[in-house]
Amino acid sequence: MKSLLNAEWGRDGIVLLSRVLLMLLFLIFGWEKLTEFDQTTALFTHMGVPLPAVATVIAIAAEVGGGLALALGVFTRPMAVLMAVYTLATSVLGHHYWNLAGSERFLAEIAFYKNVCIVGGLMLLYLIGPGRYSVDRKLGIA
């Protein structure tokens, strides 16, 4: 019987599941930004995001495009780094809890540190690579 303490027994399946779970948030909210483009742009305008329409397009490309790429294991290592930079940048721009008070501060702080944790997961993905069940592996670039 294989020990659960030795994760090598299911490494590739676990990497695939991890890639999908890590990207689930991006895919859900990226799709929402895409289907509610005007509302997202209005929100970005309200938040003071520079060039809100351009920022909306960038967010959609990163979240849907980057999310799909990583879930499928396409250019996994460079995409993991790009998504980590994007996630950290959006944390600083969109979840600046240090300027808020009360429940707004609490919710923004949760979102900020959730994103920081996602950056940690993306950096691990960069280190371990896409695993066997990936487009990268099929193309021989894993």
Side-chain angles (χ1 to χ4, degrees), residues 38-119:
D38 291 338
Q39 294 93 325
T40 302
T41 302
L43 175 64
F44 285 0
T45 300
H46 176 74
M47 292 171 61
V49 174
L51 302 169
V54 174
T56 301
V57 171
I58 291 169
I60 292 166
E63 294 177 21
V64 175
L68 279 172
L70 281 176
L72 296 171
V74 178
F75 302 117
T76 303
R77 285 189 165 100
M79 287 304 300
V81 172
L82 287 173
M83 289 298 289
V85 170
Y86 168 80
T87 304
L88 193 56
T90 59
S91 296
V92 172
L93 290 173
H95 304 295
H96 40 89
Y97 68 91
W98 48 89
N99 291 331
L100 302 172
S103 63
E104 281 186 318
R105 177 188 172 96
F106 178 72
L107 294 173
E109 189 172 8
I110 289 171
F112 180 89
Y113 285 106
K114 171 211 32 111
N115 283 2
V116 169
C117 294
I118 290 169
V119 169

XYZ file of all heavy atoms in Angstrom, residues 38-119:
607
model
N -19.440 46.189 -19.490
C -19.776 47.573 -19.132
C -19.809 47.777 -17.621
O -19.321 48.792 -17.113
C -21.114 47.987 -19.743
C -21.049 48.106 -21.260
O -19.931 48.284 -21.806
O -22.111 48.012 -21.900
N -20.359 46.806 -16.900
C -20.411 46.915 -15.443
C -19.001 46.857 -14.841
O -18.702 47.554 -13.875
C -21.285 45.808 -14.837
C -22.741 45.910 -15.204
C -23.097 45.090 -16.439
O -22.309 44.957 -17.374
N -24.304 44.539 -16.468
N -18.153 46.001 -15.421
C -16.780 45.898 -14.924
C -16.037 47.206 -15.167
O -15.337 47.706 -14.277
C -16.035 44.727 -15.608
O -16.755 43.526 -15.350
C -14.623 44.606 -15.092
N -16.205 47.771 -16.351
C -15.561 49.047 -16.668
C -16.053 50.144 -15.728
O -15.260 50.959 -15.237
C -15.802 49.422 -18.140
O -15.302 48.368 -18.970
C -15.095 50.710 -18.509
N -17.341 50.154 -15.448
C -17.898 51.144 -14.517
C -17.314 50.955 -13.110
O -16.981 51.936 -12.435
C -19.422 51.036 -14.479
N -17.192 49.707 -12.677
C -16.586 49.428 -11.373
C -15.142 49.911 -11.335
O -14.718 50.554 -10.372
C -16.652 47.932 -11.055
C -15.942 47.484 -9.784
C -16.587 48.094 -8.547
C -15.923 45.964 -9.692
N -14.381 49.607 -12.387
C -12.988 50.050 -12.444
C -12.898 51.576 -12.439
O -12.003 52.147 -11.823
C -12.288 49.470 -13.667
C -11.925 48.004 -13.557
C -12.220 47.258 -12.429
C -11.291 47.357 -14.603
C -11.888 45.918 -12.336
C -10.939 46.021 -14.525
C -11.251 45.292 -13.388
N -13.839 52.242 -13.105
C -13.884 53.701 -13.101
C -14.120 54.202 -11.679
O -13.413 55.102 -11.200
C -15.005 54.213 -14.034
O -14.744 53.745 -15.362
C -15.074 55.730 -14.022
N -15.088 53.606 -11.004
C -15.405 53.974 -9.621
C -14.205 53.753 -8.687
O -13.982 54.534 -7.771
C -16.616 53.173 -9.136
C -16.963 53.407 -7.708
N -17.560 54.576 -7.270
C -16.800 52.638 -6.617
C -17.738 54.512 -5.962
N -17.293 53.337 -5.543
N -13.447 52.699 -8.962
C -12.284 52.381 -8.121
C -11.080 53.270 -8.441
O -10.090 53.232 -7.722
C -11.881 50.911 -8.318
C -12.888 49.922 -7.789
S -12.516 48.214 -8.269
C -10.922 47.954 -7.536
N -11.171 54.036 -9.516
C -10.063 54.906 -9.883
C -8.963 54.199 -10.664
O -7.833 54.680 -10.729
N -9.286 53.056 -11.256
C -8.312 52.320 -12.056
C -8.033 53.135 -13.321
O -8.969 53.561 -13.994
C -8.839 50.911 -12.419
C -7.896 50.192 -13.362
C -9.076 50.096 -11.155
N -6.756 53.374 -13.652
C -6.455 54.115 -14.870
C -6.931 53.361 -16.117
O -6.849 52.136 -16.170
C -4.923 54.218 -14.871
C -4.468 53.773 -13.525
C -5.576 52.989 -12.916
N -7.418 54.095 -17.108
C -7.902 53.517 -18.369
C -8.792 52.301 -18.101
O -8.451 51.172 -18.456
C -6.729 53.139 -19.271
C -5.761 54.275 -19.633
C -4.517 53.725 -20.296
C -6.456 55.287 -20.516
N -9.935 52.518 -17.492
C -10.764 51.394 -17.046
C -11.185 50.424 -18.152
O -11.236 49.216 -17.910
C -11.966 52.055 -16.389
C -11.919 53.476 -16.788
C -10.513 53.809 -17.151
N -11.463 50.896 -19.351
C -11.854 49.982 -20.438
C -10.673 49.111 -20.847
O -10.827 47.905 -21.076
C -12.391 50.763 -21.636
N -9.490 49.707 -20.917
C -8.282 48.940 -21.244
C -7.979 47.953 -20.116
O -7.635 46.791 -20.371
C -7.082 49.885 -21.495
C -5.793 49.103 -21.682
C -7.351 50.787 -22.686
N -8.137 48.415 -18.891
C -7.901 47.536 -17.736
C -8.870 46.357 -17.742
O -8.487 45.237 -17.381
C -8.035 48.329 -16.437
N -10.101 46.583 -18.176
C -11.078 45.500 -18.262
C -10.638 44.459 -19.289
O -10.695 43.252 -19.026
C -12.479 46.046 -18.605
O -12.874 46.981 -17.592
C -13.511 44.938 -18.702
N -10.176 44.924 -20.433
C -9.681 43.999 -21.470
C -8.488 43.210 -20.953
O -8.397 41.986 -21.147
C -9.330 44.760 -22.773
C -8.623 43.857 -23.767
C -10.577 45.360 -23.392
N -7.564 43.890 -20.286
C -6.386 43.203 -19.727
C -6.815 42.172 -18.691
O -6.311 41.042 -18.677
C -5.399 44.227 -19.124
C -4.771 45.060 -20.237
C -4.335 43.529 -18.280
C -3.989 46.263 -19.751
N -7.757 42.546 -17.831
C -8.238 41.616 -16.801
C -8.883 40.388 -17.431
O -8.630 39.252 -16.997
C -9.224 42.325 -15.873
N -9.680 40.586 -18.467
C -10.328 39.458 -19.142
C -9.281 38.553 -19.791
O -9.324 37.329 -19.654
C -11.363 39.962 -20.174
C -12.542 40.613 -19.460
C -11.829 38.823 -21.077
C -13.449 41.429 -20.378
N -8.328 39.169 -20.486
C -7.280 38.382 -21.143
C -6.480 37.581 -20.126
O -6.201 36.389 -20.332
C -6.360 39.299 -21.947
N -6.122 38.224 -19.020
C -5.332 37.536 -17.995
C -6.137 36.428 -17.327
O -5.648 35.304 -17.180
C -4.846 38.541 -16.947
N -7.357 36.745 -16.940
C -8.128 35.790 -16.152
C -8.687 34.652 -16.996
O -8.581 33.488 -16.602
C -9.228 36.522 -15.383
C -8.642 37.449 -14.330
C -9.660 38.267 -13.576
O -10.851 37.889 -13.541
O -9.271 39.297 -13.005
N -9.267 34.965 -18.147
C -9.802 33.903 -18.992
C -8.669 33.230 -19.770
O -8.525 32.011 -19.748
C -10.903 34.431 -19.949
C -11.359 33.337 -20.904
C -12.085 34.960 -19.151
N -7.858 34.033 -20.451
C -6.762 33.473 -21.246
C -5.712 32.778 -20.393
O -5.366 31.620 -20.634
N -5.234 33.479 -19.377
C -4.237 32.885 -18.482
C -4.801 31.724 -17.688
O -4.140 30.714 -17.475
N -6.059 31.875 -17.260
C -6.702 30.797 -16.506
C -6.845 29.529 -17.321
O -6.541 28.429 -16.847
N -7.292 29.677 -18.565
C -7.412 28.496 -19.446
C -6.046 27.889 -19.743
O -5.883 26.664 -19.716
C -8.105 28.873 -20.755
C -9.618 28.960 -20.717
C -10.150 29.521 -22.028
C -10.236 27.608 -20.409
N -5.078 28.749 -20.039
C -3.731 28.251 -20.358
C -3.177 27.422 -19.207
O -2.667 26.308 -19.416
C -2.796 29.412 -20.691
N -3.281 27.927 -17.996
C -2.728 27.183 -16.860
C -3.556 25.953 -16.520
O -3.000 24.914 -16.168
C -2.578 28.092 -15.645
C -1.347 28.989 -15.708
C -1.306 29.934 -14.518
C -0.070 28.183 -15.774
N -4.861 26.047 -16.620
C -5.694 24.865 -16.353
C -5.357 23.735 -17.322
O -5.321 22.566 -16.937
C -7.170 25.229 -16.437
N -5.081 24.099 -18.580
C -4.744 23.093 -19.592
C -3.262 22.735 -19.604
O -2.866 21.772 -20.258
C -5.156 23.604 -20.983
C -6.654 23.806 -21.188
C -6.906 24.522 -22.510
C -7.398 22.489 -21.113
N -2.448 23.525 -18.917
C -1.013 23.270 -18.902
C -0.319 23.737 -20.170
O 0.509 23.032 -20.737
N -0.655 24.939 -20.632
C -0.061 25.527 -21.829
C 0.938 26.603 -21.399
O 0.556 27.553 -20.720
C -1.150 26.159 -22.730
C -0.530 26.820 -23.947
C -2.178 25.118 -23.142
N 2.195 26.443 -21.802
C 3.260 27.373 -21.396
C 3.203 27.617 -19.895
O 3.218 28.756 -19.425
C 3.176 28.693 -22.176
C 3.267 28.528 -23.654
C 2.214 28.891 -24.473
C 4.397 27.977 -24.241
C 2.288 28.737 -25.847
C 4.481 27.817 -25.618
C 3.431 28.191 -26.414
N 3.145 26.537 -19.157
C 2.849 26.578 -17.728
C 3.796 27.460 -16.933
O 3.341 28.304 -16.152
C 2.851 25.150 -17.158
O 1.899 24.384 -17.899
C 2.500 25.137 -15.690
N 5.073 27.268 -17.090
C 6.006 28.030 -16.252
C 5.955 29.531 -16.535
O 5.805 30.321 -15.592
C 7.407 27.451 -16.386
C 7.548 26.142 -15.624
C 9.007 25.686 -15.573
N 9.177 24.663 -14.566
C 9.235 23.359 -14.824
N 9.158 22.918 -16.065
N 9.386 22.495 -13.843
N 6.065 29.982 -17.786
C 5.972 31.436 -17.992
C 4.594 31.993 -17.629
O 4.487 33.102 -17.096
C 6.293 31.639 -19.471
C 6.264 30.289 -20.101
C 6.418 29.281 -19.022
N 3.536 31.231 -17.894
C 2.193 31.700 -17.548
C 2.022 31.805 -16.035
O 1.342 32.721 -15.542
C 1.124 30.782 -18.134
C 0.943 30.905 -19.636
S 0.570 32.586 -20.188
C -0.942 32.919 -19.319
N 2.626 30.894 -15.286
C 2.538 30.957 -13.824
C 3.185 32.240 -13.308
O 2.641 32.903 -12.419
C 3.191 29.729 -13.194
N 4.310 32.617 -13.891
C 4.977 33.852 -13.475
C 4.130 35.065 -13.862
O 3.926 35.973 -13.049
C 6.397 33.953 -14.082
C 7.013 35.314 -13.825
C 7.292 32.850 -13.530
N 3.622 35.086 -15.091
C 2.784 36.207 -15.524
C 1.534 36.336 -14.657
O 1.159 37.450 -14.259
C 2.379 36.039 -16.987
C 3.482 36.279 -18.014
C 2.986 35.911 -19.412
C 3.951 37.722 -17.979
N 0.902 35.218 -14.354
C -0.300 35.262 -13.522
C 0.034 35.686 -12.091
O -0.767 36.367 -11.434
C -1.013 33.908 -13.533
C -1.684 33.585 -14.856
S -2.976 34.753 -15.326
C -4.251 34.325 -14.140
N 1.206 35.316 -11.598
C 1.619 35.744 -10.262
C 1.815 37.261 -10.223
O 1.351 37.927 -9.293
C 2.905 35.024 -9.846
N 2.457 37.807 -11.241
C 2.658 39.260 -11.315
C 1.306 39.964 -11.434
O 1.039 40.944 -10.724
C 3.590 39.626 -12.492
C 3.604 41.126 -12.742
C 4.999 39.100 -12.229
N 0.441 39.463 -12.304
C -0.900 40.034 -12.473
C -1.663 40.006 -11.140
O -2.273 40.997 -10.734
C -1.671 39.261 -13.553
C -3.138 39.594 -13.604
C -3.579 40.754 -14.238
C -4.087 38.766 -13.003
C -4.935 41.078 -14.272
C -5.432 39.082 -13.045
C -5.850 40.240 -13.676
O -7.187 40.559 -13.698
N -1.626 38.882 -10.461
C -2.369 38.717 -9.211
C -1.853 39.655 -8.127
O -2.633 40.272 -7.398
C -2.308 37.250 -8.747
O -2.809 36.424 -9.797
C -3.115 37.023 -7.489
N -0.540 39.785 -8.037
C 0.031 40.694 -7.050
C -0.326 42.145 -7.388
O -0.699 42.921 -6.500
C 1.545 40.507 -6.976
C 2.242 41.139 -5.798
C 1.649 40.661 -4.473
C 3.734 40.820 -5.845
N -0.246 42.496 -8.661
C -0.586 43.865 -9.079
C -2.053 44.187 -8.792
O -2.371 45.270 -8.286
C -0.283 44.052 -10.566
N -2.946 43.246 -9.093
C -4.361 43.505 -8.833
C -4.645 43.578 -7.335
O -5.558 44.295 -6.913
C -5.281 42.460 -9.487
O -4.951 41.163 -8.999
C -5.162 42.508 -10.999
N -3.856 42.885 -6.553
C -4.026 42.968 -5.100
C -3.721 44.374 -4.602
O -4.470 44.936 -3.804
C -3.091 41.980 -4.394
O -3.423 40.670 -4.737
N -2.620 44.916 -5.074
C -2.211 46.253 -4.641
C -3.168 47.315 -5.175
O -3.555 48.235 -4.456
C -0.753 46.539 -5.076
C -0.361 47.982 -4.806
C 0.203 45.582 -4.367
N -3.591 47.166 -6.445
C -4.488 48.161 -7.046
C -5.937 48.038 -6.571
O -6.619 49.048 -6.403
C -4.476 48.032 -8.572
C -3.204 48.444 -9.287
C -3.288 48.086 -10.768
C -2.947 49.929 -9.098
N -6.395 46.821 -6.369
C -7.814 46.624 -6.121
C -8.214 46.294 -4.700
O -9.393 46.373 -4.358
N -7.269 45.927 -3.883
C -7.621 45.505 -2.519
C -6.765 46.247 -1.490
O -6.183 45.631 -0.599
C -7.461 43.994 -2.365
C -8.252 43.210 -3.367
N -9.628 43.221 -3.395
C -7.865 42.407 -4.387
C -10.050 42.452 -4.386
N -8.996 41.957 -5.006
N -6.691 47.547 -1.601
C -5.844 48.366 -0.726
C -6.538 48.582 0.621
O -7.001 49.670 0.949
C -5.468 49.682 -1.409
C -6.580 50.311 -2.179
N -7.479 51.188 -1.627
C -6.944 50.155 -3.468
C -8.346 51.563 -2.534
N -8.061 50.949 -3.665
N -6.557 47.516 1.403
C -7.250 47.511 2.691
C -6.677 48.534 3.660
O -7.381 49.024 4.542
C -7.225 46.102 3.306
C -5.864 45.645 3.743
C -5.405 45.879 5.025
C -5.020 44.971 2.859
C -4.154 45.454 5.428
C -3.783 44.541 3.245
C -3.340 44.793 4.527
O -2.096 44.384 4.913
N -5.416 48.891 3.491
C -4.750 49.824 4.390
C -5.344 51.228 4.304
O -5.095 52.050 5.184
C -3.246 49.865 4.098
C -2.943 50.028 2.637
C -2.800 51.188 1.941
C -2.778 48.970 1.697
N -2.562 50.927 0.618
C -2.535 49.569 0.433
C -2.814 47.578 1.772
C -2.332 48.830 -0.733
C -2.608 46.850 0.610
C -2.368 47.468 -0.616
N -6.138 51.500 3.276
C -6.798 52.800 3.135
C -8.268 52.761 3.532
O -8.973 53.755 3.346
C -6.723 53.289 1.677
C -5.321 53.665 1.266
O -4.510 54.076 2.079
N -5.025 53.502 -0.008
N -8.737 51.653 4.036
C -10.157 51.480 4.320
C -10.388 51.292 5.816
O -9.444 51.132 6.590
C -10.687 50.272 3.545
C -10.519 50.326 2.024
C -10.892 48.992 1.398
C -11.350 51.453 1.433
N -11.657 51.267 6.189
C -12.029 51.056 7.589
C -13.249 50.139 7.650
O -13.958 49.950 6.661
C -12.347 52.390 8.261
N -13.479 49.590 8.819
C -14.664 48.784 9.073
C -14.740 47.533 8.222
O -13.737 46.881 7.937
N -15.973 47.205 7.800
C -16.178 45.971 7.053
C -15.525 46.026 5.673
O -15.090 44.994 5.158
C -17.674 45.663 6.907
O -18.319 46.671 6.173
N -15.425 47.209 5.074
C -14.729 47.328 3.783
C -13.267 46.912 3.924
O -12.720 46.234 3.074
C -14.800 48.761 3.249
C -16.097 49.127 2.588
C -16.019 50.499 1.962
O -15.460 51.429 2.588
O -16.520 50.635 0.836
N -12.641 47.349 5.019
C -11.241 46.984 5.272
C -11.121 45.472 5.447
O -10.233 44.842 4.879
C -10.705 47.705 6.503
C -9.275 47.292 6.822
C -8.790 47.860 8.156
N -7.501 47.300 8.502
C -6.349 47.882 8.259
N -6.308 49.053 7.664
N -5.221 47.303 8.610
N -12.008 44.910 6.216
C -11.973 43.472 6.497
C -12.081 42.663 5.210
O -11.287 41.753 4.956
C -13.099 43.112 7.473
C -13.192 41.655 7.792
C -12.229 41.048 8.590
C -14.245 40.885 7.313
C -12.315 39.701 8.882
C -14.333 39.546 7.604
C -13.364 38.938 8.395
N -13.055 42.991 4.358
C -13.242 42.258 3.106
C -12.070 42.447 2.141
O -11.626 41.495 1.492
C -14.556 42.671 2.445
C -15.822 42.295 3.214
C -17.053 42.913 2.552
C -15.960 40.790 3.344
N -11.556 43.662 2.055
C -10.417 43.925 1.175
C -9.161 43.217 1.680
O -8.348 42.736 0.885
C -10.182 45.426 1.057
N -9.002 43.152 2.991
C -7.834 42.465 3.563
C -7.892 40.969 3.267
O -6.874 40.358 2.905
C -7.772 42.712 5.068
C -6.491 42.237 5.709
C -6.377 42.657 7.162
O -7.351 43.193 7.745
O -5.295 42.441 7.736
N -9.060 40.372 3.378
C -9.217 38.960 3.029
C -8.851 38.747 1.560
O -8.086 37.840 1.222
C -10.654 38.473 3.308
C -10.911 38.385 4.804
C -10.903 37.108 2.642
C -12.368 38.122 5.161
N -9.399 39.580 0.681
C -9.124 39.448 -0.747
C -7.639 39.644 -1.044
O -7.058 38.914 -1.860
C -9.962 40.442 -1.538
N -7.012 40.607 -0.388
C -5.593 40.862 -0.606
C -4.757 39.633 -0.247
O -3.941 39.170 -1.046
C -5.138 42.068 0.228
C -3.685 42.397 0.057
C -3.284 43.260 -0.952
C -2.719 41.859 0.895
C -1.944 43.571 -1.127
C -1.383 42.159 0.730
C -0.986 43.016 -0.281
N -4.972 39.100 0.936
C -4.150 37.966 1.373
C -4.531 36.665 0.666
O -3.683 35.799 0.483
C -4.169 37.839 2.896
C -3.294 38.911 3.501
C -3.845 40.005 4.139
C -1.907 38.862 3.366
C -3.041 41.017 4.662
C -1.103 39.864 3.878
C -1.660 40.937 4.517
O -0.863 41.937 5.014
N -5.781 36.542 0.213
C -6.150 35.408 -0.640
C -5.310 35.443 -1.906
O -4.751 34.443 -2.331
C -7.639 35.440 -0.974
C -8.055 34.431 -2.029
C -9.209 34.845 -2.910
C -9.367 36.257 -3.233
N -9.131 36.726 -4.568
N -5.183 36.622 -2.492
C -4.377 36.773 -3.698
C -2.909 36.485 -3.433
O -2.234 35.875 -4.264
C -4.549 38.172 -4.286
C -5.851 38.331 -5.035
O -6.664 37.414 -5.098
N -6.063 39.491 -5.594
N -2.409 36.919 -2.293
C -1.014 36.627 -1.940
C -0.812 35.114 -1.847
O 0.198 34.582 -2.319
C -0.621 37.341 -0.626
C 0.715 36.841 -0.101
C -0.582 38.850 -0.839
N -1.787 34.417 -1.288
C -1.700 32.948 -1.214
C -1.729 32.323 -2.603
O -1.004 31.353 -2.871
C -2.837 32.391 -0.355
S -2.714 32.869 1.375
N -2.542 32.860 -3.500
C -2.585 32.367 -4.873
C -1.227 32.564 -5.542
O -0.755 31.689 -6.277
C -3.711 33.055 -5.671
C -5.075 32.576 -5.158
C -3.580 32.790 -7.173
C -6.254 33.368 -5.695
N -0.585 33.696 -5.281
C 0.762 33.933 -5.825
C 1.705 32.826 -5.357
O 2.502 32.312 -6.144
C 1.293 35.330 -5.429
C 2.774 35.475 -5.751
C 0.488 36.419 -6.120
